[in-house]
């Protein structure tokens, strides 16, 4: 599928149009951002690693019955996806306390969360992705009540699939963020799933293996992403 133009450049991916209006090419770049784009660095191989990681996870989710935008990988750092009308909210599920939950509520990092916590955030870097709830989504018309319910159900369905996948590789899925969009009136998982948008800890040592390595200057960021991928069965090109 040939790229026909650049539609949008995000912090870590560039979206290209194709000859088919229903299909886009996602190009995963080496740019790595944190703190809502306040810090950006290029990490060698990151685009390739996240593209292949995302393709592998999206295929697992599709096999488990979760509709995703993923069509196929086109090259080490590009994938073909369906052109969704994106909903500007981020869906976060937390199985253990970390990150902003600890800062907001004074909870100790690592506390097990049963049942898992579900949160919505508004996708808006300038406002630092503020937390929102169903009422804001309804009032401002970001999604319908039915779509809100579908996003919650799908995000929790993803949790059971991916907790098991990472547990088999000796890791804990601490938390993650998903984004959804509409494709022909159906709610479909979009964006990406990679160690950029989730937290993963080694189940034995609790070592951080995700983007917190970048946020907290722990080093070996991409080596750690590759290690996570290899543990769940990915053979990187
Ligand atoms: P938080 O602890 O910063 O709220 O993030 C929770 C999880 O969601 C963590 O795995 C990072 C991910 N996330 C993003 O990737 N991008 C975002 O904009 C937000 C709000 C969270």
């Amino acid at each position: 599928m040939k790229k026909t133009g650049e539609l949008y450049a995000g912090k870590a991916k560039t979206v290209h149009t194709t000859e088919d209006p229903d299909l886009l090419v996602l190009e995963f770049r080496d740019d790595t951002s944190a703190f809502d784009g306040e810090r950006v660095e290029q990490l060698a191989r990151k685009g390739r690693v996240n593209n292949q990681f995302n393709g592998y996870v999206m295929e697992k989710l599709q096999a488990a019955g979760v509709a995703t935008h993923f069509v196929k990988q086109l090259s080490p750092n590009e994938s073909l996806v369906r052109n969704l009308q994106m909903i500007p909210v981020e869906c976060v599920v937390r199985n253990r306390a970390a990150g902003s939950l600890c800062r907001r509520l004074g909870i100790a990092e690592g506390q097990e969360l049963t049942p898992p916590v579900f949160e919505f955030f508004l996708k808006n870097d300038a406002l630092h992705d503020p937390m929102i709830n169903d009422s804001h989504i309804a009032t401002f018309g970001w999604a319908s009540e039915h779509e809100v319910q579908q996003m919650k159900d799908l995000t929790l369905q993803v949790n059971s699939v991916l907790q098991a996948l990472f547990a088999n590789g000796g890791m804990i899925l601490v938390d993650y963020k998903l984004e959804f969009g509409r494709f022909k009136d159906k709610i479909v998982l979009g964006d990406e799933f990679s160690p950029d948008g989730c937290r993963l800890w080694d189940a034995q040592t609790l070592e951080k293996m995700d983007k917190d390595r970048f946020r907290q200057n722990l080093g070996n960021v991409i080596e750690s992403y590759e290690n996570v991928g290899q543990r769940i069965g990915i053979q990187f090109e």
Side-chain angles (χ1 to χ4, degrees):
M1 184 66 58
K2 260 208 353 247
K3 293 180 277 190
T4 53
E6 188 178 308
L7 184 63
Y8 173 77
K11 293 190 294 268
K13 298 187 289 298
T14 302
V15 184
H16 302 268
T17 52
T18 68
E19 287 144 342
D20 183 340
D22 282 342
L23 294 173
L24 299 172
V25 173
L26 277 191
E27 174 199 350
F28 289 70
R29 309 194 313 269
D30 287 344
D31 295 313
T32 312
S33 85
F35 314 114
D36 305 313
E38 273 172 22
R39 185 171 149 215
V40 182
E41 285 173 32
Q42 280 72 47
L43 299 181
R45 304 196 305 288
K46 188 196 154 232
R48 307 165 61 103
V49 168
N50 275 5
N51 179 49
Q52 292 167 57
F53 197 107
N54 175 65
Y56 187 84
V57 171
M58 289 279 172
E59 279 179 352
K60 293 274 181 206
L61 293 174
Q62 239 150 247
V66 178
T68 84
H69 68 160
F70 182 77
V71 179
K72 63 174 179 181
Q73 261 179 57
L74 296 174
S75 76
N77 72 328
E78 292 171 311
S79 288
L80 189 65
V81 298
R82 291 183 186 86
N83 184 3
L84 308 189
Q85 183 199 2
M86 293 306 291
I87 294 172
V89 304
E90 305 188 334
C91 302
V92 169
V93 163
R94 303 176 187 271
N95 297 307
R96 296 268 195 140
S100 73
L101 182 92
C102 297
R103 291 197 295 277
R104 256 182 287 127
L105 303 180
I107 307 290
E109 185 178 78
Q111 184 179 313
E112 289 184 38
L113 304 172
T114 313
V117 168
F118 181 94
E119 296 170 338
F120 282 122
F121 295 89
L122 178 66
K123 195 172 165 66
N124 186 319
D125 280 336
L127 299 177
H128 296 289
D129 292 347
M131 189 190 234
I132 54 172
N133 62 28
D134 305 37
S135 170
H136 299 106
I137 296 176
T139 296
F140 299 111
W142 291 316
S144 71
E145 208 174 303
H146 180 58
E147 288 172 333
V148 164
Q149 194 55 50
Q150 282 180 287
M151 290 194 285
K152 286 185 187 171
D153 292 346
L154 286 166
T155 305
L156 286 166
Q157 190 185 341
V158 166
N159 200 29
S160 49
V161 179
L162 296 189
Q163 272 188 308
L165 179 71
F166 291 112
N168 281 336
M171 292 167 283
I172 300 168
L173 179 59
V174 171
D175 59 27
Y176 57 92
K177 180 264 300 179
L178 301 180
E179 296 179 27
F180 293 90
R182 304 177 186 99
F183 187 76
K184 305 192 191 298
D185 293 330
K186 202 171 160 224
I187 289 292
V188 172
L189 178 61
D191 191 49
E192 71 180 88
F193 191 100
S194 74
D196 266 6
C198 68
R199 290 191 172 93
L200 291 158
W201 296 349
D202 180 275
Q204 298 301 318
T205 65
L206 302 184
E207 189 189 5
K208 295 177 168 140
M209 306 186 73
D210 52 75
K211 197 158 89 174
D212 271 348
R213 299 200 69 81
F214 176 71
R215 296 189 190 98
Q216 299 175 13
N217 299 305
L218 299 174
N220 293 326
V221 179
I222 301 310
E223 290 79 357
S224 184
Y225 286 22
E226 287 169 325
N227 185 357
V228 172
Q230 284 154 3
R231 286 195 197 193
I232 60 170
I234 303 174
Q235 289 175 305
F236 290 105
E237 285 176 45

